[in-house]
């Protein structure tokens, strides 16, 4: 959302996750850098300076995972969002926007039962079992603002 409004801004993720799938997801969303939360001050400074120069900075603690993922794409599991069908993403977005099951059914011209089935599949696939969790997931993955 930030990059849509301000395309010249550079974003550096600060995360506890070292797995390649998180790094790649951050980079796919437009991040210019990715650091681990326990990075030292010098590494943070290096990341900021690199990103300001227009470079991409990836913390050495995670770069091996990223390279492994590039060399062997099957080594990285698909991100949770990538595991969803287009229809599931659409329904997730509508749920996150606050629409009821009935409103979603009318909007998509499907039955309430179909929407319920998609919602159930979403929850199973994401291992999120409440609407609030789905909303948080949708917001964290840029499906809603």
């Amino acid at each position: 959302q930030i990059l849509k409004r301000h395309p010249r801004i550079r974003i550096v993720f600060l995360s506890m996750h070292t797995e390649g799938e998180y790094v790649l997801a951050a980079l796919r969303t437009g991040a210019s850098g990715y650091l681990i939360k326990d990075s030292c001050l010098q590494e943070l400074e290096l990341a900021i300076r690199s990103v300001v120069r227009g470079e991409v900075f990836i913390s050495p603690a995670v770069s091996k995972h990223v390279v492994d993922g590039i060399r062997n794409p099957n080594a990285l599991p698909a991100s949770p969002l990538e595991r969803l069908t287009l229809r599931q993403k659409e329904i997730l977005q509508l749920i996150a926007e606050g629409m009821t099951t009935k409103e979603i059914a009318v909007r998509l011209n499907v039955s309430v039962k179909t929407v319920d089935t998609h919602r159930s599949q979403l929850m199973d696939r994401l291992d999120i079992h409440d609407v609030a969790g789905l909303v948080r997931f949708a917001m964290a993955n840029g499906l809603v603002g």
Side-chain angles (χ1 to χ4, degrees):
Q1 294 296 325
I2 292 169
L3 290 173
K4 285 180 185 173
R5 293 187 182 129
H6 308 282
R8 296 184 61 200
I9 285 183
R10 302 289 182 255
I11 295 174
V12 176
F13 269 70
L14 187 60
S15 176
M16 63 182 232
H17 298 286
T18 60
E19 297 88 353
E21 69 182 277
Y22 291 98
V23 180
L24 293 175
L27 296 174
R28 284 183 188 122
T29 63
S32 297
Y34 192 97
L35 283 169
I36 303 306
K37 284 185 177 183
D38 62 1
S39 297
C40 65
L41 186 58
Q42 290 81 8
E43 190 174 348
L44 176 60
E45 182 180 348
L46 180 59
I48 292 170
R49 290 183 189 279
S50 298
V51 168
V52 166
R53 286 192 305 265
E55 300 169 359
V56 173
F57 183 89
I58 300 173
S59 177
V62 299
S63 61
K64 180 189 180 321
H65 298 290
V66 174
V67 172
D68 288 346
I70 292 168
R71 288 183 179 154
N72 182 7
N74 296 327
L76 290 176
S79 72
L81 191 59
E82 291 172 341
R83 287 184 227 137
L84 301 179
T85 66
L86 290 175
R87 181 61 102 178
Q88 288 170 337
K89 288 178 192 174
E90 183 177 26
I91 289 175
L92 175 59
Q93 180 178 1
L94 296 173
I95 290 169
E97 289 174 357
M99 294 182 77
T100 66
T101 300
K102 186 174 182 177
E103 290 169 333
I104 294 170
V106 169
R107 159 96 48 93
L108 300 179
N109 197 31
V110 297
S111 72
V112 170
K113 184 169 173 55
T114 298
V115 175
D116 282 336
T117 299
H118 282 297
R119 182 192 315 254
S120 176
Q121 290 170 345
L122 271 168
M123 290 179 167
D124 288 343
R125 193 163 287 180
L126 298 174
D127 196 25
I128 299 172
H129 301 287
D130 57 43
V131 173
L134 290 177
V135 171
R136 282 191 300 273
F137 177 85
M139 291 177 73
N141 286 278
L143 293 177
V144 291

